[in-house]
Amino acid sequence: MARVRLFIRGGVDLATVLGMGQTFLWRPGRGGFFGTIQGRAVFLRQVDTETLEASASLPPEELSALVSRYFDAERDLEEVRRLLSEDPHCRRAVERFSGLRVLRQPFWECLAGFLLSSANNVRRIHRIVRKLAERYGEVQPVEGELQAVFPPPERLVDIPLEALYDCGTGFRARGLREAARRVASGEWDGDVLARLSEEEARARLMSGYGIGEKIADCVLLYALGFLEVFPLDVWMRRVLKELYFPDGRLPRRAERARWVRRRFPGVGGYAQLYLYHAARHGVLLDRAKLV
DNA sequence: CTCCAGGGGGACG
DNA sequence: CGTCCCCATGGA
């Protein structure tokens, strides 16, 4: 069992980043968080704003590299925050919430999580993911506890849909299993997709059942490193309508993607992350009025 | 009971 | 192109 400390450039708010809805693989416990990275049981703890401590059954150098990549630890957030602050609404969100980061998650675990996100809520996505891990994932010891990791794609390929339903997946089971097949067979490979153009990678993901533009964009952003991608979900539709087009009418669906790309050049993913989090916490929108 | 949750597919006009 | 309904499920 190795335990390492990592420096996260620009800082990180661990509890927020792990719980806000860009990953669904973490549960709080023992003053930190237990979860899965790349099929490994990992324990994470916040030491100070720029320091994390990580434990796992791995050589220290491998653990360090795994977690460092996960948190995109070398990214210069000051530059990102500076660019975001040019937009008044993003600026408010940045001032209110420091320590948000776009994670760089393992491809399969990210894809599975967002396949389960459709017409769902964050708490229940967590519950479904945990159920799948408990039922089909390997149990690994970490930090004095036994942690069930999220199952690799090969493990889900032959599970009957009814068994997945029983974990609470609902109608998302078909898409999840089909995606597991493509990843297990090598048809979809995160390293390969990450090297394609944004458009080509998105198109390939959208060829999968249950993966439309929004879910594809979340995977491009949170797993494949396309930081300019701005996922358009229900919250962003509210934000655009209330904040950016308060009088006029919302641009047509196809128009919105181009609009956000031009509005937040190069940092669309961070812009979306901050707007999403702020809106959900009633900082930019009157949440009571909308929900 | 209805409505909604970080959607998407299919059938319509 | 847009709009409608359906897809499971649990909480408000």
Side-chain angles (χ1 to χ4, degrees):
Chain A
M1 179 70 61
R3 179 179 296 165
V4 299
R5 288 198 169 193
L6 292 111
F7 174 73
I8 311 294
R9 185 178 304 282
V12 60
D13 177 347
L14 186 65
T16 302
V17 165
L18 296 184
M20 66 182 293
Q22 51 172 326
T23 173
F24 310 96
L25 289 166
W26 300 89
R27 64 168 173 93
R30 299 207 175 189
F33 296 85
F34 290 89
T36 304
I37 305 178
Q38 195 78 52
R40 284 287 164 183
V42 176
F43 174 78
L44 295 171
R45 190 173 69 80
Q46 182 114 39
V47 177
D48 59 50
T49 56
E50 293 188 314
T51 312
L52 296 180
E53 191 173 80
S55 311
S57 297
L58 280 175
E61 314 79 46
E62 287 183 36
L63 176 59
S64 199
L66 186 72
V67 178
S68 183
R69 176 187 165 92
Y70 192 76
F71 285 93
D72 198 11
E74 297 303 317
R75 177 81 46 193
D76 182 3
L77 281 197
E78 289 311 315
E79 172 68 1
V80 172
R81 291 183 183 125
R82 190 181 62 73
L83 289 168
L84 287 185
S85 294
E86 292 175 10
D87 177 88
H89 304 301
C90 287
R91 184 197 186 95
R92 281 188 61 195
V94 168
E95 287 168 353
R96 172 68 179 76
F97 301 103
S98 58
L100 300 192
R101 295 187 82 93
V102 171
L103 296 172
R104 181 148 191 179
Q105 304 172 42
F107 170 61
W108 159 245
E109 288 159 9
C110 180
L111 175 61
F114 281 100
L115 267 165
L116 295 170
S117 75
S118 83
N120 209 342
N121 61 70
V122 172
R123 186 167 65 244
R124 204 161 78 88
I125 301 167
H126 274 94
R127 191 159 53 237
I128 297 167
V129 164
R130 186 168 62 249
K131 191 88 172 177
L132 289 167
E134 286 170 356
R135 192 162 299 187
Y136 302 112
E138 183 187 344
V139 174
Q140 301 177 14
V142 61
E143 202 66 21
E145 291 200 12
L146 290 177
Q147 170 70 20
V149 300
F150 190 77
E154 315 83 62
R155 189 71 183 83
L156 295 186
V157 163
D158 293 317
I159 306 294
L161 290 185
E162 301 74 40
L164 294 177
Y165 274 48
D166 198 47
C167 295
T169 62
F171 59 84
R172 310 159 192 89
R174 176 180 164 189
L176 180 66
R177 200 175 65 177
E178 195 181 299
R181 287 209 178 98
R182 297 205 197 207
V183 177
S185 74
E187 179 184 346
W188 281 349
D189 181 300
D191 293 326
V192 172
L193 291 171
R195 286 182 227 287
L196 299 175
S197 71
E198 177 192 318
E199 292 74 19
E200 178 62 21
R202 178 185 291 110
R204 292 205 190 180
L205 290 172
M206 285 178 64
S207 72
Y209 185 84
I211 304 176
E213 193 166 308
K214 190 271 175 182
I215 291 178
D217 280 359
C218 285
V219 176
L220 291 179
L221 174 59
Y222 297 126
L224 301 181
F226 292 93
L227 293 187
E228 64 273 29
V229 170
F230 188 112
L232 284 159
D233 62 7
V234 287
W235 285 98
M236 288 310 105
R237 200 161 44 69
R238 290 171 189 151
V239 165
L240 291 185
K241 182 179 169 59
E242 300 288 324
L243 299 181
Y244 293 93
F245 299 92
D247 333 290
R249 212 157 276 300
L250 209 56
R252 294 153 42 176
R253 180 175 158 68
E255 200 82 30
R256 287 175 222 157
R258 286 193 293 275
W259 188 88
V260 294
R261 178 177 309 281
R262 188 170 168 285
R263 177 85 189 189
F264 310 104
V267 290
Y270 265 95
Q272 198 269 8
L273 189 77
Y274 273 99
L275 292 173
Y276 171 78
H277 189 66
R280 277 178 36 116
H281 288 260
V283 172
L284 294 174
L285 300 179
D286 182 356
R287 194 170 191 277
K289 185 176 64 181
L290 294 163
V291 182

